[in-house]
Amino acid sequence: MFNLDDCMAFIANRSAKIFAEALEKEFRPYNMTRSQWIAMYYIYTSESITQRELADKMSIKEPSVVRLLQKLESEGFLHRSGTHADKRVKQLELSDKGVQIYLDLLPVAEKFKDDTITNISEQDLQTFKNVLGVMVENASKERP
């Protein structure tokens, strides 16, 4: 008999929500949301990235990423510019202010990560990542 509490997809989803809410709470004193910081992470760590590529990396729809970027831009954290090939395609770059807040919050994110994996062996973490990867791959397959 199906038991939702034993369904790995449900457990993973519930866990992801708990992690997201906890990280949101960590960033709140800095007037930064988890999504804003994640966007800044991808922009900072990418040699070059477009709005569409950012939306793909964040697994969100492009209109959602546009609203997120508008907020970051209005706060002075990033610049958007058209590419040489197509002015409609927007390249993203953090401003000096954006780089500074990203770097200021990096230790907060690192501590959060470290706190969540306390008392878990490297082997168990690697097994977890591997199993979750296979589950995502399985869930992504076409169903008859």
Side-chain angles (χ1 to χ4, degrees), residues 34-51 53-60 65 68-69 72 92-94 102 106:
R34 172 187 58 85
S35 295
Q36 289 170 332
W37 189 85
I38 291 170
M40 294 173 81
Y41 167 85
Y42 283 122
I43 296 166
Y44 182 84
T45 59
S46 298
E47 191 170 307
S48 113
I49 191 167
T50 66
Q51 289 180 182
E53 291 165 339
L54 180 62
D56 290 344
K57 285 187 177 286
M58 293 182 70
S59 299
I60 61 176
V65 86
L68 177 65
L69 294 174
L72 289 172
L92 308 174
E93 182 181 7
L94 293 182
Y102 165 76
L106 188 57

Side-chain angles (χ1 to χ4, degrees), residues 3-116:
N3 180 350
L4 186 61
D5 291 324
D6 286 337
C7 175
M8 290 306 298
F10 178 74
I11 293 168
N13 184 51
R14 183 178 56 204
S15 300
K17 286 181 179 182
I18 291 168
F19 292 140
E21 289 170 10
L23 186 55
E24 195 79 41
K25 187 177 176 183
E26 294 295 320
F27 286 149
R28 198 168 293 134
Y30 304 93
N31 294 319
M32 179 69 53
T33 67
R34 172 187 58 85
S35 295
Q36 289 170 332
W37 189 85
I38 291 170
M40 294 173 81
Y41 167 85
Y42 283 122
I43 296 166
Y44 182 84
T45 59
S46 298
E47 191 170 307
S48 113
I49 191 167
T50 66
Q51 289 180 182
R52 177 168 300 200
E53 291 165 339
L54 180 62
D56 290 344
K57 285 187 177 286
M58 293 182 70
S59 299
I60 61 176
K61 296 190 183 321
E62 202 165 351
S64 297
V65 86
V66 167
R67 285 190 300 277
L68 177 65
L69 294 174
Q70 285 171 337
K71 175 71 172 156
L72 289 172
E73 193 172 37
S74 73
E75 297 282 335
F77 294 135
L78 80 102
H79 307 290
R80 290 186 282 182
S81 59
T83 64
H84 296 295
D86 186 346
K87 297 293 180 198
R88 295 171 297 173
V89 175
K90 300 297 183 188
Q91 282 297 134
L92 308 174
E93 182 181 7
L94 293 182
S95 65
D96 291 342
K97 181 180 177 182
V99 169
Q100 188 59 57
I101 191 69
Y102 165 76
L103 293 174
D104 288 348
L105 291 176
L106 188 57
V108 175
E110 288 176 341
K111 183 178 181 325
F112 177 79
K113 181 196 72 126
D114 290 344
D115 289 349
T116 61

